[in-house]
Amino acid sequence: MDPGSAVLVLAGLLLFTSLSDGLTPGEVSIVAGGGKPHVGDKDDCVDSAASMDGFFLDARFNYPWGLVFDKSDNSIYVADCGCPDTPHSNDRIRKISLSDSMVTTIAGSAQGYKDGVGPDAHFHHTAGMVVDEENAMLYVCDSANNVIRQVNIETGEAKTFAGNPEAGFQDGKGLYARFENPQGLYLDAKQSRMFVADTDNHVIRVMSMPDAVVKTIAGTKQKGLVNGKGSAARFYHPTQMAYDAYTDILYVSDHYNHVIRTINLQQGYDVGLLAGSPKGEPGYKDGHGTDARFNYPEGVAFDSTHRVLYVVEFDNNCIRMVSPEGIVKTLAGGPEGGYQDGPAEQARFFHPTGLTLDPTNKVIYVTDQFNHLIRSVTAVGHNYDGPAEMVYIEQNRPGPQGNYWTDPTAMVMLLGVVVFCVLLAARAVARKFCVKWR
């Protein structure tokens, strides 16, 4: 290839690279929320009136906890928990539309226990949630009320689906079942079942759908860290769950044991330890199986395409990746809490809790609880340039728009075009005057 052609090819490659360059796994950015972060010890709760609907950074959350991605309308639903037992406890179900970055409230207005429509419904310490996309229904752990609530996405009507405000430990149907501070759900719509992390009972329950018959499948009220089948196993404050349909394995974040557990649903609900200290010791360490360390793992999601479990850690302020073989690697963040968007090693979270996955675009969404924000993290296999909402924001947010001339990516693209055109013109002129490239 002659030098002129080589330069043209290189210029074209430069242009193509700048056009096709996407975000690598672990890139963190803000989705919605704003205001001041938490101040004080982690056990403190700063009461403030922070429940504003609005656009992107204008919206406000107050210690958001659980969340779930709904691919049917490209939205995220958020359990906006607030400070328990305070006048400004949000206890609302919020919606973030990723197509326009608008945040709205679909149910809830104040702390309490009341079925109703929209603001007439009352919750107390909303936690984990799942979405039934086919029937446009949310299921929410109303943890301090010891019940599972059902929220109609289209109408905002909330009603109790299972359990009773009186805490207890009892299998049964619907309102006759008893829970104690349930915090996590996983809906297996294909097999018409929903799993419940009954947190303060230290057990995992399964509920048939849609008739809500509750059955305990693993653990007992006696807390501990013991592997075994069914009631022989012990958990200590299990919080969230994820499911691998290929292996029929349920993953559980065993919060106070600082480990990730597995439940083999085909082999008598056999409970094992996937990763973390067999003695329940907290820490921060990547590694294999029992060599790895976690510090209060909470939200989890399993990507069946790349076969990776994503885990958010409350006290390690990070997102971890765990393979089905138990290999643990940090994706974004680290033990030092704070707030910073950017690449994996630079990003900072402040006690994140909930995690959900967009399985198509490979984007993780996280409730950054003490920053009062919803954040996004690019996952393995991420296939577009940043969260969809960021494109809309750049084009539509009121106020000064981004300057093309100060955007490094835009400048590289422009330079590639200019170089390509100049060299193409020079080659044409040279050929016209019979000058060969050598």
Side-chain angles (χ1 to χ4, degrees):
M1 181 183 293
D2 61 70
S5 297
V7 173
L8 287 175
V9 170
L10 288 173
L13 286 173
L14 175 64
L15 176 60
F16 175 78
T17 300
S18 65
L19 287 170
S20 62
D21 184 30
L23 297 177
T24 58
E27 287 277 352
V28 179
S29 58
I30 187 171
V31 175
K36 297 179 180 179
H38 170 90
V39 177
D41 294 335
K42 68 179 182 181
D43 293 330
D44 296 336
C45 196
V46 181
D47 184 32
S48 63
S51 60
M52 292 186 294
D53 291 342
F55 177 78
F56 187 42
L57 301 179
D58 296 331
R60 292 291 181 270
F61 298 89
N62 197 7
Y63 298 97
W65 193 345
L67 79 172
V68 63
F69 173 75
D70 183 356
K71 67 176 180 290
S72 69
D73 64 356
N74 196 33
S75 296
I76 306 169
Y77 294 95
V78 180
D80 200 9
C81 182
C83 289
D85 306 313
T86 62
H88 295 124
S89 176
N90 276 10
D91 288 305
R92 302 174 187 195
I93 308 302
R94 315 287 293 280
K95 176 181 179 179
I96 306 174
S97 172
L98 296 177
S99 61
D100 60 10
S101 291
M102 291 299 298
V103 178
T104 54
T105 300
I106 66 170
S109 60
Q111 190 178 95
Y113 176 65
K114 180 184 177 184
D115 289 344
V117 177
D120 290 333
H122 293 168
F123 303 88
H124 192 181
H125 218 187
T126 51
M129 61 167 64
V130 293
V131 60
D132 177 356
E133 296 174 349
E134 184 176 346
N135 295 301
M137 199 72 70
L138 290 170
Y139 294 92
V140 182
C141 285
D142 192 356
S143 63
N145 281 324
N146 306 301
V147 298
I148 310 302
R149 308 287 288 278
Q150 184 185 61
V151 181
N152 187 302
I153 292 173
E154 296 175 352
T155 66
E157 181 181 8
K159 60 182 180 180
T160 302
F161 184 69
N164 187 286
E166 181 181 348
F169 179 43
Q170 180 177 311
D171 290 344
K173 182 175 181 178
L175 306 184
Y176 292 100
R178 292 291 182 273
F179 304 94
E180 186 169 356
N181 189 29
Q183 294 184 10
L185 299 172
Y186 182 86
L187 177 63
D188 180 7
K190 289 185 178 180
Q191 299 193 53
S192 301
R193 59 185 180 179
M194 183 161 65
F195 297 96
V196 183
D198 194 357
T199 304
D200 280 0
N201 277 325
H202 312 294
V203 298
I204 304 301
R205 324 278 290 271
V206 67
M207 187 185 313
S208 60
M209 300 293 285
D211 54 354
V213 176
V214 178
K215 174 186 174 183
T216 303
I217 61 171
T220 68
K221 277 189 68 68
Q222 182 181 355
K223 62 190 177 186
L225 178 50
V226 179
N227 294 330
K229 290 188 176 183
S231 59
R234 297 290 182 271
F235 298 89
Y236 189 10
H237 206 83
T239 54
Q240 299 290 337
M241 298 160 295
Y243 177 62
D244 178 4
Y246 180 76
T247 59
D248 208 21
I249 295 290
L250 188 71
Y251 295 99
V252 181
S253 54
D254 198 351
H255 190 68
Y256 283 173
N257 279 325
H258 310 287
V259 296
I260 304 301
R261 311 289 292 277
T262 58
I263 303 178
N264 191 318
L265 302 179
Q266 289 184 342
Q267 297 181 5
Y269 304 115
D270 193 13
V271 178
L273 180 97
L274 178 65
S277 168
K279 296 181 180 180
E281 299 169 336
Y284 177 67
K285 181 184 176 183
D286 290 345
H288 187 192
T290 55
D291 290 332
R293 292 293 180 269
F294 299 90
N295 203 345
Y296 295 110
E298 291 215 15
V300 290
F302 186 77
D303 179 10
S304 58
T305 305
H306 297 283
R307 304 203 53 73
V308 58
L309 179 74
Y310 295 103
V311 182
V312 64
E313 287 186 81
F314 184 79
D315 258 11
N316 276 334
N317 302 297
C318 68
I319 313 299
R320 313 287 287 278
M321 300 183 292
V322 186
S323 75
E325 296 74 34
I327 299 172
V328 179
K329 183 179 180 181
T330 301
L331 174 65
E336 182 183 349
Y339 169 68
Q340 185 172 327
D341 289 339
E345 64 279 2
Q346 298 176 14
R348 292 292 177 266
F349 301 89
F350 194 7
H351 294 314
T353 52
L355 183 149
T356 188
L357 175 70
D358 173 352
T360 303
N361 294 305
K362 307 304 180 189
V363 179
I364 299 164
Y365 295 99
V366 177
T367 48
D368 193 357
Q369 191 176 64
F370 278 33
N371 277 322
H372 310 295
L373 301 172
I374 309 302
R375 314 277 291 280
S376 67
V377 185
T378 54
V380 176
H382 173 69
N383 57 8
Y384 70 98
D385 289 343
E389 67 273 15
M390 301 307 291
V391 177
Y392 179 89
I393 290 162
E394 185 65 24
Q395 296 173 348
N396 297 279
R397 183 161 177 78
Q401 299 297 308
N403 189 339
Y404 185 88
W405 302 102
T406 60
D407 185 334
T409 303
M411 289 302 295
V412 171
M413 293 170 59
L414 180 61
L415 180 61
V417 172
V418 170
V419 170
F420 186 87
C421 293
V422 169
L423 291 174
L424 190 64
R427 184 184 178 99
V429 171
R431 283 183 171 176
K432 181 176 181 180
F433 290 99
C434 300
V435 177
K436 294 184 178 180
W437 294 83
R438 298 188 184 276

